[in-house]
Amino acid sequence: MKKILAIALIALASITLAFAQGGAETSTGAAAYNETGFTNDTLTFVIPGSAGGGTDLAIRTMIEGLQRIYGLKVNPQQMKNTQGHTTVKNAAPDGNTIMLATAALLTQYVSGNSDVNPLEDLTLIATLDDNGYSVLAAPVNAPYNTFEEFVAYAKANPGMVNAGMPAAGSNTFLFGKLESVLGIELNHVECASESDRLTNIAGGFIDIGVVGLGNAISYEAAGKLKVIGTVAGNGITIADSGRELGDNYKTLQEQGYDDCYVLCMHYVYGPKGMNPDQVAKLNASFKTIIEDPTVNEGLRKIGHIPLWHDLEESKAIQMEEYNTTVETAKFLGLYAL
């Protein structure tokens, strides 16, 4: 009788503890999470990119919202792209380790520079803000002043226009798509970081390169480069940036090149095997973050376009960008799968 009573008391204590935790649902082997999808543990937010870059600034903008709105304890972890992707892949699927990833996750996988498969090794939580505008900048003395003139010059001088880009990064794929759509051939020059591209454009060592909107504006004002257009997502206009800019900043689609766009979204990922209910709650919580006025304005200030998509839309956008990446990789001879 005493043994039965003891077992009953243990069961009652367990039930009481569960209610004391706010009735949080759990996934197998995972920490309890609440209606936001987050747990009471410290959230590790992996930053797969360099300090001061677009992903870094976006994550830190979102972290401010996560702390202020949800009272979360957040630990940002800066890592190189592949290291960050691998860290999240190998983390426990309890929602305490997430990252904000860009097209680099896709390009590195399809080109064989990473074994982290974004479709199989991770859990997609949300597709968020568009990574903004990729500004096409040239030296001030370049023999073209508009994108139309650039295309004509590139066609007349195949393989002679030096385009600065990483060996196999997002900008490599951007230029690859432009080459395939426009029928031009560029000379790919290793120039991985934006700071390197800015220096080499200003010095006239490369003929064209991609830079961020903020840097393009400041360097143009200082007379160190000229802007001939921007590449953005399908249907995005330069007016969506919220800034008043000259016609030379118009997107290539606005300039009449309908197929010259790239999807370059930010994706929130967690490890493979996360509880679907928790993922749905996290997706909804990031909607609140993106729509928060302070976070929204902060993302716009760094040149991003704040967006949020539900899980179905997020997966569709992910697949469209992945398939486009595969096509461009094959065109460039970089497809390694």
Side-chain angles (χ1 to χ4, degrees):
M1 182 68 180
K2 289 182 179 181
K3 184 176 180 180
I4 295 174
L5 179 60
I7 293 173
L9 288 172
I10 291 171
L12 180 61
S14 299
I15 295 171
T16 302
L17 177 61
F19 277 104
Q21 293 174 333
E25 298 177 69
T26 61
S27 58
T28 303
Y33 59 88
N34 55 37
E35 67 278 359
T36 69
F38 296 106
T39 75
N40 292 325
D41 295 333
T42 298
L43 175 68
T44 296
F45 209 143
V46 173
I47 306 173
S50 58
T55 303
D56 177 38
L57 296 175
I59 288 177
R60 295 185 188 280
T61 300
M62 293 178 192
I63 285 175
E64 184 279 327
L66 290 167
Q67 292 171 327
R68 172 170 46 83
I69 296 171
Y70 296 124
L72 295 177
K73 296 175 289 184
V74 184
N75 176 30
Q77 289 287 306
Q78 195 103 39
M79 302 179 185
K80 292 183 178 180
N81 276 325
T82 304
Q83 180 187 8
H85 303 157
T86 303
T87 296
V88 176
K89 172 187 174 181
N90 295 333
D94 54 13
N96 287 327
T97 303
I98 62 174
M99 69 176 170
L100 192 69
T102 64
L105 173 63
L106 309 179
T107 59
Q108 288 176 355
Y109 175 66
V110 302
S111 61
N113 292 307
S114 170
D115 61 358
V116 180
N117 184 336
L119 304 182
E120 296 182 3
D121 296 333
L122 301 167
T123 297
L124 179 62
I125 295 172
T127 299
L128 297 182
D129 67 313
D130 189 300
N131 207 14
Y133 301 90
S134 298
V135 181
L136 297 173
V140 292
N141 62 349
Y144 35 82
N145 295 306
T146 66
F147 186 72
E148 182 179 13
E149 291 177 357
F150 164 76
V151 173
Y153 183 84
K155 286 184 176 180
N157 299 275
M160 300 299 292
V161 177
N162 295 322
M165 65 189 81
S170 301
N171 289 333
T172 314
F173 281 71
L174 181 152
F175 276 119
K177 180 163 185 182
L178 294 185
E179 288 178 277
S180 65
V181 169
L182 299 169
I184 60 177
E185 179 186 350
L186 303 173
N187 181 34
H188 295 198
V189 177
E190 179 82 29
C191 205
S193 71
E194 183 166 335
S195 60
D196 286 343
R197 290 193 294 276
L198 287 165
T199 300
N200 281 280
I201 292 169
F205 302 112
I206 58 175
D207 302 311
I208 192 167
V210 171
V211 300
L213 187 59
N215 279 331
I217 293 171
S218 61
Y219 272 69
E220 182 189 44
K224 295 181 178 180
L225 55 74
K226 58 185 173 184
V227 172
I228 61 173
T230 58
V231 184
N234 193 11
I236 299 295
T237 69
I238 196 61
D240 292 325
S241 69
R243 308 183 192 214
E244 293 186 11
L245 298 167
D247 288 347
N248 58 318
Y249 281 88
K250 285 186 174 180
T251 67
L252 300 190
Q253 283 190 322
E254 290 180 281
Q255 296 188 42
Y257 298 89
D258 292 342
D259 294 328
C260 290
Y261 68 90
V262 294
L263 288 176
C264 192
M265 309 300 288
H266 268 140
Y267 300 93
V268 180
Y269 286 101
K272 178 181 179 180
M274 289 181 62
N275 185 302
D277 177 76
Q278 184 181 22
V279 173
K281 286 178 166 60
L282 289 171
N283 177 274
S285 292
F286 271 101
K287 181 176 189 290
T288 300
I289 294 297
I290 291 296
E291 293 179 349
D292 174 75
T294 300
V295 174
N296 197 284
E297 180 61 22
L299 291 171
R300 291 188 183 280
K301 283 183 177 179
I302 60 175
H304 292 196
I305 305 167
L307 300 167
W308 169 86
H309 299 276
D310 63 27
L311 284 171
E312 184 176 355
E313 293 171 342
S314 293
K315 291 174 182 177
I317 293 169
Q318 179 201 39
M319 282 306 306
E320 181 182 357
E321 185 170 352
Y322 179 83
N323 290 333
T324 300
T325 302
V326 168
E327 291 174 7
T328 306
K330 290 178 178 179
F331 172 81
L332 292 168
L334 296 174
Y335 187 67
L337 300 181

